[in-house]
Amino acid sequence: MLVFEGLFFSYSRVDVLKNITFSAPSGEVCALLGPNGCGKSTLLKCAAGVLAPQAGTIRYKGEGPGGLRCSPHREGLTAYMPQAQAPPPCSVFDAVLLGRKRHMNFRACKRDLEKTEEAIHLTSISDIALKRCDNLSGGELQKVVLARSLAQEPKVLLLDEPTNHLDLKNQVEMMKLIKNITEKLNIITIAAIHDMNLAVKYAAKFVMIKSGEIFADSNILAVTKENIDSLYSVDSKIYDIDGGKIIAIN
Amino acid sequence: MKNYEGYVTESYAAARAWKLIAGVFMAFALFCAAAASLLYGQYGCGPGDIFRALVSFDDTGGPGYVLWNLRMPRTLAAAFCGAALGSAGAVTQNVLKNPLATPFTIGISQGAAFGASFAIIFLKNYSSAASSAPPAQTHIYSIAFCAFAGSLISTAFILALSGFKNVGPLGLILAGVALNSLFGALTMLMQYFATDIQISSALFWTFGDVGKAGYGELGVIAAVFCLAFAYFISKSWDYNALEWGDETAAGLGVNVKRLRIVTMLLASLVSAAVTAFIGVIGFIGLIAPHTVRIFMAGDYRYLTAYSALLGAFTLLASDLIARSALAPQVLPVGIVTAFAGAPLFLYLLIKGDRGI
């Protein structure tokens, strides 16, 4: 379980996160929802140790006995996948191997190579393992970055818009992959997602953020017309089809 | 855990093997260039005499004197300075996220030139006999000291900017442009009030020439280079992580700010040491890393070391050309690298498959 408590963050004088308190359980995908600029990315960066919050704590509790552990990123328990960026001209294998950075001095040992190989197979990118990252398609590249995150052997997976810039097929593939891995490895996954329908289909917990504050925090019951309309300032309609929710915007 | 038999790892290892072979080849090329630099010269003795003087460590007699007092320091200076400029260029381009960044782009060389002009014009460190005559030993050190101080002013300014004001990579390049222009103006101002001999002395100093350094100066350059190079190599994975952006690197546990500051400090220090004792040598910090990048892609486990090898080779080869092109006249190597660098760089720019 990852527990956020009273998190505050501000860039110079602009408050971005105000008193964020929620927890995310293991083994399921937790979707961060909210309009652009609401603080989703900042929250993920705080959890990943990229930014230091001015107040509040982020603590991790594993399975079995043992209390809450502070600053999980410092122990290397978190893996962070930022929004898609232009990749450098390195090979896919090297890009995944980079996930072992905390464990390597200069040479990669046998375990580093094994974990890299495992992550490559988990994300099924073994066909492109020797290609250069700057020659990949957007969908392939996102899988490579996910594989690098998995090579870190994380307990917490932090994903910032993992389906951005992907086509329909790749969006679904990516989310399926994320859900399967989360369940299989029983890790905590927190993903900022813009596509409500993808979120509803693959996530089990929904944390809605509005202007830096928690707006709603629950399971699928949080996904209501009222919440969505207020969160994104739209006029939506929710249909129940085959036992799942479909959100349409008027 | 499932056993995947490691077939991807195996093909990866095979693909990596040729990178190591390329490294061995470059080391061999460097060795050949160094040997040629020791054996070639205008002094009338055959390679056999030089070789005998080399293996017997004998610096008496004609060939021995020429080898140990002229050609050896020259060869070592070219190798160390080339390696220093090449590797410093590679890591500077990484931390400043700018393919055109070298320690020279951010005002180091103009700072050094300003320091040297100051020593020559204000502290009267020049030979009054002839402008191109080598100055006395005390003059060399005081000019080098002032040049070093001048380049450190640039370094300190750049570091203060990135440390206190949190200026980004682009801001650092712009600050370098501003520093270059400031030091250029100050140098010109001093030269305006100087005598003819002082001006030509100052100008002569700026020609980078690997023949300037003696063993003492070489020791300083080698020590600074080894310190910086050890750091650069030990941070190979941090540079690889930084290639993916500051956030990815920070997420992987890299202290991005410290890496950027320490790297810039060390890269500036080696360039300051080289410039202070040798003069201004351009293009090595651009040509060496970019040539390696085209053949090896951007893996810093190889890039830094191979840029050092290729930088050393390029400077040695350039010096051989400088010594033989208009023989018996010996040209300063800085002129050759500038001549060779410009078209070579344009060639890489047009031919290279990655946008530079």
Side-chain angles (χ1 to χ4, degrees), chain A residues 5-10 13-21 37-39 42-43 55 209-215:
Chain A
E5 229 172 63
L7 213 61
F8 275 92
F9 184 87
S10 60
R13 278 188 214 123
V14 186
D15 291 339
V16 185
L17 297 178
K18 298 164 220 164
N19 195 20
I20 296 282
T21 301
C38 72
T42 308
L43 179 59
I209 299 176
K210 195 178 178 187
S211 323
E213 285 172 285
I214 299 273
F215 174 73

Side-chain angles (χ1 to χ4, degrees), chain A residues 45 50 80 82 85 87-89 93-95 97-98 101-102 104-106 113 117-118 121 126 129-130 133 148 152, chain B residues 1 4 6-9 11-12 233 236-238 240-241 243-244 247-248 250-254 297-299 301 354:
Chain A
K45 283 177 196 167
V50 175
Y80 168 59
Q85 303 162 307
F93 194 96
D94 283 325
L97 186 60
L98 183 61
K101 206 212 137 301
R102 282 175 193 273
M104 291 185 292
N105 286 322
F106 186 76
L113 293 173
E117 175 116 18
E118 206 179 292
H121 287 286
S126 51
L130 297 181
C133 288
R148 182 183 64 216
Q152 289 179 255
Chain B
M1 281 299 160
Y4 292 108
Y7 71 85
V8 176
T9 310
S11 46
Y12 167 71
I233 291 291
S236 295
W237 279 109
D238 293 41
N240 280 343
E243 289 270 282
W244 289 86
E247 285 163 7
T248 301
L252 287 165
V254 178
D299 187 342
R301 280 177 296 168
R354 174 168 149 77

Side-chain angles (χ1 to χ4, degrees), chain B residues 59-283:
Chain B
D59 68 346
T60 56
Y65 180 84
V66 168
L67 174 70
W68 290 105
N69 290 303
L70 296 177
R71 291 187 194 168
M72 186 57 93
R74 188 181 193 100
T75 304
L76 288 177
F80 273 113
C81 292
L85 295 175
S87 54
V91 293
T92 310
Q93 283 145 27
N94 175 281
V95 296
L96 292 187
K97 295 205 182 76
N98 190 317
L100 292 177
T102 64
F104 291 96
T105 338
I106 56 165
I108 304 287
S109 63
Q110 289 289 359
F114 167 74
S117 299
F118 181 82
I120 291 165
I121 293 167
F122 275 104
L123 307 179
K124 314 280 184 214
N125 284 305
Y126 60 94
S127 328
S128 48
S131 56
S132 60
Q137 196 66 26
T138 51
H139 289 171
I140 291 179
Y141 273 100
S142 94
I143 293 173
F145 180 80
C146 287
F148 197 69
S151 44
L152 285 186
I153 293 174
S154 300
T155 310
F157 184 73
I158 295 285
L159 284 178
L161 261 185
S162 61
F164 303 129
K165 274 297 286 170
N166 230 349
V167 170
L170 185 65
L172 286 184
I173 298 282
L174 291 177
V177 173
L179 273 180
N180 267 335
S181 146
L182 173 69
F183 279 125
L186 285 172
T187 309
M188 281 199 286
L189 183 69
M190 279 196 301
Q191 287 175 349
Y192 189 76
F193 294 106
T195 65
D196 290 355
I197 290 177
Q198 287 171 332
I199 291 175
S200 48
S201 273
L203 188 66
F204 182 75
W205 180 89
T206 56
F207 296 144
D209 183 3
V210 284
K212 280 180 191 169
Y215 285 110
E217 295 93 314
L218 259 176
V220 177
I221 294 173
V224 177
F225 165 68
C226 289
L227 178 76
F229 191 67
Y231 179 83
F232 296 158
I233 291 291
S234 75
K235 294 291 175 190
S236 295
W237 279 109
D238 293 41
Y239 296 129
N240 280 343
L242 205 55
E243 289 270 282
W244 289 86
D246 287 15
E247 285 163 7
T248 301
L252 287 165
V254 178
N255 187 337
V256 174
K257 201 170 162 185
R258 188 165 68 197
L259 179 71
R260 188 164 278 143
I261 289 180
V262 176
T263 300
M264 285 312 300
L265 180 65
L266 289 173
S268 305
L269 268 179
V270 290
S271 312
V274 169
T275 314
F277 291 118
I278 304 293
V280 179
I281 296 174
F283 275 111

Side-chain angles (χ1 to χ4, degrees), chain A residues 119-140:
Chain A
I120 284 175
H121 287 286
L122 268 174
T123 48
S124 30
I125 51 171
S126 51
D127 293 345
I128 56 166
L130 297 181
K131 272 198 185 179
R132 267 170 64 157
C133 288
D134 50 349
N135 294 336
L136 300 181
S137 72
E140 289 171 327

